[in-house]
Amino acid sequence: MLHSGSRGIGNRIGRFFIRQAQLEMQQQHVRLPDPELGFLRVGTKLGADYMAYAEWAQQYAWHNRVLMFGHVLQAIGGALGMSADELIVADQTVHCHHNYIATEQHFGAQGLVTRKGAVNAGRGVMGIIPGSMGAQSYITRGLGNPDALRTSSHGAGRVMSRNVARKTISMEQHLAALEGVECRRDNDVIDESPAAYKSIDAVMAAQTDLTEPVYVLKQIVVVKG
């Protein structure tokens, strides 16, 4: 199981269009409680440009993961004396976005759905819901709950910011939580320690009406870039 996003370009695109939205609000004399709430209207050139660039970033992230996955399979295959093809079970690869925009039909109307820290949980759609470095992860099948816009969470979610985790979690606590897992054990990954995240079991129990576990994964190796 691996994760990679758009490697910063998505963030650059987002910040550019947020600024454009703020300028649009100023020019149209739209008063908002906070400038960060600036928006682009559907049907305008700026709105269409944003959607095109956002789609580009999503596709970039998708192809980036495909390339990474290929290299990982080659490396594992080389260590085991197998080809990458021998490591893949047909039709068992699960691939999903978790921070993205989609045009979808809900409650009889078409609209935009933003899934932030969330995945498509349409009926029968396979998803990935990871835990922390020391907790199990889930391969799931969506239940298509219409009230949740056919969506489930993407993971455990943080209970501490990265800065708070670095100041709060000791190296002894970090190492104890990672017993049995081969991984980096230095101060630079303290912010990813299991204690910085919610219980993945509690998260899964809270969304039994949104998605169902198909496979439960317990990691033995974690590679943090």
Side-chain angles (χ1 to χ4, degrees):
M1 185 172 67
L2 65 83
H3 166 267
S4 178
S6 54
R7 307 299 301 157
I9 187 63
N11 179 267
R12 293 285 293 272
I13 291 169
R15 285 192 284 115
F16 173 82
F17 281 101
I18 287 172
R19 180 57 182 155
Q20 295 304 307
Q22 291 170 345
L23 292 174
E24 283 282 292
M25 298 298 98
Q26 292 173 14
Q27 292 169 4
Q28 296 171 22
H29 305 291
V30 177
R31 298 177 64 86
L32 297 169
D34 191 302
E36 291 291 322
L37 297 174
F39 57 87
L40 300 173
R41 289 183 169 87
V42 173
T44 64
K45 184 179 185 306
L46 266 176
D49 285 347
Y50 171 66
M51 291 301 297
Y53 278 100
E55 175 64 24
W56 182 90
Q58 291 172 31
Q59 290 302 314
Y60 177 87
W62 184 286
H63 290 293
N64 189 40
R65 290 191 291 271
V66 170
L67 288 171
M68 290 174 64
F69 194 61
H71 288 307
V72 169
L73 289 179
Q74 288 176 3
I76 294 174
L80 298 178
M82 301 169 65
S83 70
D85 290 341
E86 292 178 283
L87 296 171
I88 297 178
V89 178
D91 300 323
Q92 289 294 302
T93 301
V94 179
H95 198 145
C96 64
H97 294 307
H98 68 274
N99 290 333
Y100 71 106
I101 302 169
T103 301
E104 296 179 356
Q105 192 90 4
H106 294 278
F107 302 110
Q110 183 171 284
L112 297 176
V113 176
T114 299
R115 292 190 174 99
K116 174 65 176 173
V119 296
N120 183 348
R123 182 164 296 280
V125 175
M126 301 297 288
I128 303 171
I129 302 181
S132 66
M133 292 174 68
Q136 60 197 21
S137 297
Y138 291 84
I139 304 300
T140 58
R141 182 184 294 111
L143 298 177
N145 188 316
D147 292 331
L149 304 182
R150 301 194 295 271
T151 300
S152 74
S153 77
H154 163 64
R158 286 185 166 272
V159 293
M160 298 181 195
S161 69
R162 293 185 184 278
N163 286 335
V164 170
R166 293 187 189 105
K167 296 174 183 177
T168 304
I169 303 170
S170 69
M171 180 56 70
E172 290 74 21
Q173 292 171 317
H174 179 63
L175 296 179
L178 294 172
E179 185 177 357
V181 180
E182 182 65 31
C183 61
R184 283 174 55 186
R185 296 168 183 267
D186 56 85
N187 287 322
D188 287 343
V189 293
I190 288 288
D191 59 326
E192 290 288 337
S193 194
Y197 288 86
K198 299 172 187 173
S199 162
I200 188 64
D201 295 328
V203 170
M204 293 303 296
Q207 57 180 352
T208 55
D209 57 339
L210 307 182
T211 192
E212 60 180 353
V214 178
Y215 300 106
V216 181
L217 307 180
K218 174 62 177 77
Q219 66 273 45
I220 55 174
V221 177
V222 175
V223 178
K224 288 284 183 182

